[in-house]
Every structure is written in structure tokens, then in C-alpha cells.
Amino acid sequence: SRYELVLTYMMVAIGLNFGFGYGGQLAIAQPVVMGVAAYTAGLLNVNRHWNSWATLVPALVVGSLVNVLVSLPGFRLRGWYLAITTFFAVAVFPDLLSATQHLTHGDDGLGPIDKFRWVGDNPSLEHWFVLALTGVCWLAVWRLVYSRWGIMARSLRDSPNAAQASGVNMPGLKV
């Protein structure tokens, strides 16, 4: 439903807020990561007839691998240069879907995808489940911001040279 979609986008915004707001890393390829994970789940569901829960782990793994691949420029770049290089992935993603039309069905979409039921067959329970998941994400990032990692992320944003001179493992922190 729209409610669940809004909450899903809120979880993405929470992650963006930590990465860009606190960490100062303007990487904008999150739609590509979400799209690749969604297509992974959809392809397994439509072509291999996996149920929705079984597609969750492969989708997370493939999405995480694509995230690492797209984020590699972040080890050398920051600011607008990082934004431009990660925007390239956003610009190429629709063309990649069209180029692999035999697999992704291009603009026609995958369909029909089985309805993903989070909790049983009760839609109101699904809303509460996604709301709780969004709350857990918000709480986890809130705790992270005020932890040692959050302080290091803010130092990465404010003064990367000082953070590195203080012994912060910059590549590890960016990962």
C-alpha cells in the first residue's frame, strides 16, 4: 500500500540522513541499490517461483554488493565529485534495464509478482510491522549518531584530515 511505500522511503531517507547529513558523503545512488534489490527479488519470484520471504536474503546480498560497487569512488572522492560519479549509476540504470530486456522485460515490468505478506493475511498488521521496522531503523541510526562511530562520521564530514591525523581508519569508516 502507499502507507508502506512511504515508510519504506522514510527508511531510505534515514539512511541518507546518516550518510550525507552526519557523514558528509553525498552518494546518491540509493535508487539503483533499491532497484537492483527489487529486481533480484522480482526475478526470483517470477522466473524461479520463490516465495517472497525466500527472495529477501538474495535481494539484500545483491543490493549490498551493488552498493559496495557503486560506493567505491567514495574512497577517493567526496562532495560534488562523489555525487556526480554516483549519479552516473542512476543515469545508467534505466538503460541497463532496457539492454537486458530478455531478463527484466524492460519497460513492461516483471509481473505478475506474488503479493508479499509481511505478517499473515492481515493488511493492518503489515502496516504496523513496517511502522515498527521504520522505528527500529530510526532508533538504530539515532543510537549510531551518538556513538563512537557517529562522532567519527561527523569528523569525516567536518574535518577529514584531522580525523585521519587522530587515527581514524578512514576507509573502514567509509565502508
Side-chain angles (χ1 to χ4, degrees):
S1 75
R2 291 184 184 143
Y3 176 75
E4 293 161 352
L5 187 61
V6 167
L7 289 173
T8 301
Y9 288 149
M10 283 179 65
M11 287 186 268
V12 173
I14 290 167
L16 281 172
N17 184 42
F18 181 75
F20 179 60
Y22 291 102
Q25 301 298 307
L26 184 55
I28 53 177
Q30 286 76 9
V32 173
V33 174
M34 286 180 64
V36 167
Y39 264 97
T40 301
L43 287 169
L44 289 173
N45 185 283
V46 171
N47 296 340
R48 302 285 184 211
H49 306 291
W50 288 23
N51 73 20
S52 298
W53 281 104
T55 64
L56 192 59
V57 172
L60 289 172
V61 169
V62 171
S64 298
L65 291 174
V66 167
N67 188 28
V68 168
L69 180 68
V70 170
S71 299
L72 285 177
F75 289 113
R76 297 262 184 206
L77 304 172
R78 43 181 323 233
W80 290 109
Y81 299 109
L82 178 61
I84 290 168
T85 56
T86 56
F87 181 74
F88 176 73
V90 176
V92 168
F93 186 64
D95 295 331
L96 183 64
L97 293 178
S98 295
T100 57
Q101 187 165 358
H102 64 282
L103 183 65
T104 63
H105 302 189
D107 295 335
D108 296 333
L110 288 174
I113 296 175
D114 294 337
K115 174 73 174 134
F116 187 81
R117 290 285 178 200
W118 289 96
V119 184
D121 290 329
N122 188 345
S124 68
L125 285 177
E126 289 181 21
H127 298 315
W128 287 109
F129 180 75
V130 177
L131 180 64
L133 191 60
T134 305
V136 166
C137 288
W138 177 81
L139 184 62
V141 169
W142 179 75
R143 296 277 302 174
L144 184 63
V145 164
Y146 294 105
S147 72
R148 181 173 165 250
W149 284 97
I151 294 168
M152 288 189 299
R154 287 192 302 274
S155 70
L156 173 66
R157 175 195 66 198
D158 296 336
S159 182
N161 293 335
Q164 190 171 13
S166 298
V168 173
N169 178 4
M170 299 301 274
L173 181 61
K174 287 181 179 183
V175 168

